[in-house]
Amino acid sequence: MPNIKSAKKRVLVSKANYERNKAYRSALRTAIKKADAAIEANSPEAAEAVKVAVKKIDQAAVKGILHTNNAARKKSNLVNRLNAKA
């Protein structure tokens, strides 16, 4: 446990950031899974689900939760799967 006041603050701040990032990452994964399920089911809402997932991926990349190249790869894979089913 830290003894210095600023170190104690950093522990609290890093825990808050960790929790926020964890929640955002969970929502991102959920959106990707919904898009995958819609694509596999040939659902008419598949394009909309992919659009929502791509937006979440972009937001995660901007916030630093995903690396830029990782985000680009995820978006590319989603769109390619959608186009293959179409």
Side-chain angles (χ1 to χ4, degrees), residues 25-54:
R25 199 175 303 118
S26 175
L28 172 67
R29 289 179 181 149
T30 302
I32 292 172
K33 284 179 186 176
K34 283 182 181 178
D36 282 337
I39 290 169
E40 288 302 314
N42 283 333
S43 174
E45 296 90 25
E48 183 62 31
V50 168
K51 185 177 175 183
V52 168
V54 165

Side-chain angles (χ1 to χ4, degrees), residues 12-75:
L12 295 175
V13 169
S14 64
K15 182 172 174 29
N17 289 340
Y18 170 76
E19 294 297 331
R20 187 181 323 111
N21 290 343
K22 190 169 134 182
Y24 201 87
R25 199 175 303 118
S26 175
L28 172 67
R29 289 179 181 149
T30 302
I32 292 172
K33 284 179 186 176
K34 283 182 181 178
D36 282 337
I39 290 169
E40 288 302 314
N42 283 333
S43 174
E45 296 90 25
E48 183 62 31
V50 168
K51 185 177 175 183
V52 168
V54 165
K55 183 175 180 179
K56 287 256 188 209
I57 292 169
D58 282 336
Q59 288 172 341
V62 167
K63 291 175 189 242
I65 295 168
L66 289 179
H67 189 276
T68 310
N69 292 348
N70 187 305
R73 187 176 65 247
K74 286 182 185 300
K75 291 190 314 188

